[in-house]
Amino acid sequence: MNERQQARRPGGRSARVGAQVHQAVTDLISERGYGNFTVGEVAARAGVADSSIYRRWGSLETLLTDVALTRLNAQSPMPDTGSVAGDLRAYAAQVAREITGPDGPAVLHLAVALSSTGQQGLQAGDLLRTERMRQLQSMLDRARDRGEPAPDALDVLDHILAPMYIRVLFGIVPLAPDYIDGLVDRLL
């Protein structure tokens, strides 16, 4: 195996550094909120050099976008239960666990902040929305392929995700299973 192949392997030092930097960002957002820390503070918290962050991400905004996309997307694979109702219930429960978990509110606040800040923020918000909508659409298309009627992805966002996000952002938690199931039932 040559040196270039070793650098690309999953895991290893690069993955550890990425995970440390992502956790440092999430912790700082939890403690201080969006926009209240620097690359230097992220680097110190993660135990890496500032130059490592700039080399890998280029800017704090790009790093923040990567953290939000990675955390929101990697933790939310689309379930395949065999029915649209089952898929939506499983997906909604999974999202509820994520956004109420230890890092969930911080990541959710980051996503909101990125969506509402300047030109780069608009691009970050677009990336987050595009990726989430792509994931939802794949689940809904699968249901339609099985012959089931399925809602639009925007309806899922409006009727399932948005109410959960709003409750977490305003501190109205926990998101009880019967509440989550009720959101799905009302949509369907």
Side-chain angles (χ1 to χ4, degrees):
M1 183 182 296
N2 68 34
E3 187 176 341
R4 180 177 212 105
Q5 289 170 320
Q6 287 177 347
R8 290 186 184 171
R9 69 184 161 87
R13 185 182 187 305
S14 180
R16 280 192 308 277
V17 167
Q20 290 169 295
V21 170
H22 278 216
Q23 189 61 53
V25 166
T26 304
D27 292 346
L28 286 165
I29 289 169
S30 292
E31 294 168 14
R32 302 182 191 175
Y34 176 80
N36 296 317
F37 54 88
T38 65
V39 167
E41 291 169 310
V42 171
R45 176 75 62 104
V48 301
D50 297 21
S51 59
S52 294
I53 292 176
Y54 285 114
R55 185 173 45 255
R56 187 166 181 174
W57 287 281
S59 70
L60 182 58
E61 192 78 18
T62 302
L63 169 59
L64 295 174
T65 300
D66 184 51
V67 169
L69 284 170
T70 300
R71 294 285 175 110
L72 289 173
N73 295 331
Q75 296 175 7
S76 297
M78 293 294 114
D80 188 359
T81 65
S83 74
V84 70
D87 290 352
L88 288 171
R89 277 188 178 77
Y91 178 68
Q94 182 177 296
V95 169
R97 281 189 304 275
E98 292 165 12
I99 64 176
T100 59
D103 295 336
V107 172
L108 192 54
H109 282 280
L110 174 59
V112 169
L114 287 171
S115 296
S116 61
T117 57
Q119 183 59 35
Q120 277 214 342
L122 290 174
Q123 292 170 357
D126 287 345
L127 282 172
L128 290 168
R129 281 187 299 279
T130 300
E131 182 60 21
R132 181 63 74 186
M133 295 303 281
R134 185 195 62 73
Q135 290 177 335
L136 286 171
Q137 194 60 56
S138 71
M139 180 176 61
L140 299 171
D141 288 345
R142 195 173 53 234
R144 287 186 191 97
D145 290 345
R146 290 189 303 255
E148 293 182 87
D152 291 329
L154 271 177
D155 288 335
V156 174
L157 181 70
D158 289 342
H159 297 282
I160 297 174
L161 297 178
M164 291 193 305
Y165 289 174
I166 291 297
R167 282 182 172 233
V168 170
L169 288 169
F170 286 102
I172 307 168
V173 288
L175 299 176
D178 56 334
Y179 170 75
I180 296 164
D181 286 345
L183 293 173
V184 173
D185 291 343
R186 282 188 293 279
L187 174 61
L188 296 177

